[in-house]
């Protein structure tokens, strides 16, 4: 077999479908977020741009207290952890951060992983594989890390329609009462920005004796009195068996974690290969996470400004007739519905206006629902927002549509977008 030709053919297919991913060469500048430097060529000149699609939702990756904590830990403990958690890789900062995360979520214990993806995949594989004859109930829009964990567990699973509690109840009712049941869902779904009915799902879980596993990665830091997520805001954290979160978004760092009962955490710690055999996070990351958490817990003013920036961007986009997908979260998706158009607009925003937003295409979202996904932060000011809306409006009405299409973007929107969105536009 000509392996290289196979790889070339597969990559060509991605390019032909406008799904080939191109990394933006960005250089973040400490203290200047959301500004960054962008290079079109690796050795070319740097140009200042504004980042509009970062998951560093609160700008904590630039916060002086976080940088100081990491700098102090680096000079004290060095760069790496030295091994797995079992073999010299547990530092004092790991211990302190896990205790703080558990207390934040109202749980007995927490466990750190090297990423949010790994925390989901590893935890779900371990739970489902070891619980005898378990059945997993997964929301249809769950993240790839959840899907991977479920599939790799080789357990029986059933998919319930997105945020459809009655469908979930039907599936649970059709399963033998004695089988262990695990309901897996997210609080904020990052592509559409909608929020799960947590209380109703907890009601169903309690009715059927199911374990609940909640992914809060796009909510921690941003919702609730102390920023512990949608479960805290809705007052249901105590009803959730496992809360999974990340340090890679609102914390501004790297890593994932779960929080649960002491017994469950000890079980995952003792049986999960993805935890046992992986080098732990560097102590300086754990130190930065602890500093970030201390700030986030008391950052009601940041959360309020964050929501204000989100509302302002939504209002301006809707005011000029652009198809903002409605939701109640901080995610601001603008529906495009064509992969080629999506990339064309994204490229033009970067090249002509110094605005960076990544096109969201299949398989991240279904074909025909491609979009631009904006994530304003408290550090995006009114001038930046107004410039973004003006630039996007110009791109939209300059008819940057696929050459083979006879429809303008407005026509594509009216004929192909979900009816609920069209009604609100």
């Amino acid at each position: 077999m000509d392996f290289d030709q196979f790889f070339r053919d597969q990559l060509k297919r991605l390019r032909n479908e406008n799904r080939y991913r191109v990394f933006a060469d960005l250089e973040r500048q400490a203290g200047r977020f959301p500004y960054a430097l962008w290079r079109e060529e690796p050795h070319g000149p740097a140009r200042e741009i504004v980042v509009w699609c970062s998951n560093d939702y609160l700008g904590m990756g630039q916060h002086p207290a976080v940088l100081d904590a990491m700098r102090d830990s680096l000079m004290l403990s060095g760069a790496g952890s030295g091994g797995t958690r079992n073999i010299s890789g547990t530092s004092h900062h790991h211990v302190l951060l896990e205790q703080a995360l558990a207390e934040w979520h109202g749980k007995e214990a927490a466990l750190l992983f090297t990423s949010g993806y790994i925390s989901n995949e590893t935890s779900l594989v371990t739970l489902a594989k070891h619980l005898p004859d378990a059945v997993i109930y997964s929301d249809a829009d769950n993240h790839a890390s959840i899907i991977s964990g479920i599939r790799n567990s080789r357990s029986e699973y059933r998919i319930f329609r997105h945020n459809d509690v009655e469908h979930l109840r039907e599936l649970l009712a059709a399963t033998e009462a004695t089988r262990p049941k695990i309901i897996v869902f997210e609080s904020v779904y990052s592509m559409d920005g909608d929020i799960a009915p947590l209380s109703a799902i907890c009601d169903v879980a309690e009715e059927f004796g199911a374990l609940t596993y909640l992914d809060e990665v796009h909510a921690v830091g941003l919702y609730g009195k102390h920023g512990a997520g949608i479960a805290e805001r809705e007052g249901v954290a105590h009803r959730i068996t496992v809360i999974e979160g990340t340090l890679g978004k609102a914390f501004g760092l790297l890593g994932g974690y779960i929080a649960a009962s002491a017994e469950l955490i000890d079980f995952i710690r003792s049986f999960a290969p993805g935890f046992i055999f992986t080098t732990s996070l560097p102590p300086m990351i754990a130190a930065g996470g602890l500093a970030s958490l201390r700030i986030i817990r008391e950052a009601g003013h940041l959360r309020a400004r964050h929501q204000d920036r989100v509302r302002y961007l939504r209002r301006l986009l809707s005011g000029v007739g652009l198809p903002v997908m409605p939701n109640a979260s901080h995610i601001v998706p603008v529906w495009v519905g064509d992969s080629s158009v999506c990339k064309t607009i994204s490229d033009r925003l970067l090249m002509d206006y110094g605005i960076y937003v990544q096109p969201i295409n299949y398989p991240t979202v279904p074909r025909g629902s491609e979009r631009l996904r904006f994530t304003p932060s408290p550090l995006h000011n009114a001038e930046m927002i107004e410039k973004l809306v003006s630039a996007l409006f110009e791109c939209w009405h300059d008819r940057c549509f696929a050459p083979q299409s006879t429809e303008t973007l407005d026509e594509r929107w009216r004929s192909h977008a979900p009816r609920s969105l069209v009604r609100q536009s």
Side-chain angles (χ1 to χ4, degrees):
M1 181 178 185
D2 187 339
F3 294 105
D4 285 341
Q5 185 59 49
F6 171 81
F7 301 142
R8 284 191 292 270
D9 290 344
Q10 294 300 304
L11 292 170
K12 181 180 179 181
R13 180 172 62 85
L14 283 181
R15 290 187 175 92
N16 290 340
E17 296 175 0
N18 297 297
R19 295 195 295 118
Y20 182 75
R21 298 171 189 261
V22 178
F23 295 154
D25 184 346
L26 301 177
E27 187 176 343
R28 285 161 61 92
Q29 300 173 285
R32 300 208 66 235
F33 182 79
Y35 289 109
L37 297 179
W38 168 67
R39 289 176 174 83
E40 189 172 3
E41 300 292 338
H43 301 290
R47 176 183 170 191
E48 188 170 78
I49 55 98
V50 176
V51 177
W52 275 101
C53 54
S54 174
N55 288 335
D56 187 357
Y57 291 132
L58 299 177
M60 295 302 295
Q62 317 282 307
H63 196 287
V66 175
L67 300 184
D68 287 345
M70 295 180 72
R71 187 181 300 111
D72 292 345
S73 177
L74 174 65
M75 299 311 296
L76 179 68
S77 302
S81 67
T84 66
R85 290 291 296 273
N86 190 50
I87 305 176
S88 79
T90 297
S91 74
H92 187 50
H93 280 120
H94 289 99
V95 174
L96 293 179
L97 179 55
E98 286 174 341
Q99 290 177 346
L101 288 168
E103 191 274 332
W104 190 40
H105 287 294
K107 301 298 182 185
E108 294 177 336
L111 192 66
L112 287 168
F113 295 82
T114 51
S115 74
Y117 191 106
I118 297 299
S119 60
N120 267 338
E121 183 179 50
T122 298
S123 299
L124 287 169
V125 164
T126 306
L127 285 171
K129 186 175 181 179
H130 288 274
L131 285 171
D133 202 26
V135 184
I136 304 173
Y137 303 83
S138 178
D139 187 285
D141 283 5
N142 274 340
H143 188 262
S145 59
I146 292 174
I147 296 170
S148 178
I150 292 171
R151 288 177 176 170
N152 290 339
S153 75
R154 299 184 179 179
S155 297
E156 184 178 339
Y157 65 89
R158 293 159 193 177
I159 298 172
F160 61 94
R161 290 186 293 270
H162 178 52
N163 281 347
D164 189 333
V165 179
E166 288 308 311
H167 188 220
L168 172 61
R169 177 180 278 107
E170 290 173 13
L171 295 176
L172 286 161
T175 307
E176 297 90 330
T178 56
R179 297 182 69 179
K181 302 171 183 67
I182 306 171
I183 303 172
V184 188
F185 57 109
E186 302 179 32
S187 56
V188 177
Y189 289 85
S190 64
M191 290 301 113
D192 289 352
D194 52 342
I195 296 175
L198 267 60
S199 184
I201 292 176
C202 288
D203 290 343
V204 174
E206 290 164 4
E207 179 183 347
F208 290 93
L211 179 155
T212 48
Y213 184 105
L214 174 64
D215 178 325
E216 286 255 52
V217 297
H218 288 278
V220 290
L222 306 180
Y223 300 93
K225 181 179 180 181
H226 298 104
I230 299 295
E232 182 195 28
R233 187 186 75 175
E234 302 298 319
V236 298
H238 64 288
R239 302 175 68 190
I240 304 292
T241 313
V242 182
I243 294 177
E244 187 265 350
T246 183
L247 307 181
K249 294 181 171 60
F251 278 74
L253 292 157
L254 168 74
Y257 65 88
I258 58 171
S261 69
E263 290 79 9
L264 190 150
I265 293 298
D266 199 16
F267 174 79
I268 299 295
R269 183 189 72 85
S270 301
F271 285 92
F275 173 81
I276 295 169
F277 299 107
T278 299
T279 299
S280 65
L281 289 171
M284 64 179 177
I285 297 294
L290 193 58
S292 188
L293 178 55
R294 287 169 178 158
I295 297 163
I296 286 172
R297 286 183 64 105
E298 308 302 325
H301 63 292
L302 273 181
R303 285 186 280 279
R305 179 168 172 80
H306 182 223
Q307 290 297 323
D308 174 75
R309 300 294 81 190
V310 170
R311 287 191 295 269
Y312 189 50
L313 176 58
R314 284 185 180 280
R315 185 166 76 248
L316 293 192
L317 288 170
S318 298
V320 297
L322 292 170
V324 184
M325 298 174 66
N327 64 57
S329 77
H330 60 285
I331 307 293
V332 185
V334 173
W335 192 94
V336 177
D338 183 291
S339 59
S340 178
V341 177
C342 207
K343 187 175 187 313
T344 298
I345 293 178
S346 173
D347 289 347
R348 186 174 171 199
L349 286 172
L350 182 59
M351 296 290 293
D352 295 352
Y353 299 94
I355 291 170
Y356 174 58
V357 59
Q358 185 71 9
I360 306 296
N361 293 332
Y362 177 84
T364 306
V365 295
R367 297 180 193 273
S369 66
E370 293 83 1
R371 66 203 61 178
L372 299 170
R373 174 183 174 274
F374 298 96
T375 54
S377 77
L379 301 176
H380 286 87
N381 59 36
E383 182 181 356
M384 292 174 184
I385 294 173
E386 291 157 9
K387 179 181 177 181
L388 165 65
V389 174
S390 175
L392 184 57
F393 180 84
E394 289 181 21
C395 291
W396 194 274
H397 289 281
D398 279 354
R399 304 185 176 216
C400 302
F401 50 84
Q404 68 271 23
S405 174
T406 59
E407 297 176 302
T408 65
L409 284 175
D410 287 333
E411 290 167 340
R412 287 189 62 78
W413 160 250
R414 294 289 170 182
S415 60
H416 299 294
R419 290 182 181 179
S420 62
L421 272 63
V422 174
R423 285 198 300 268
Q424 296 187 35
S425 66

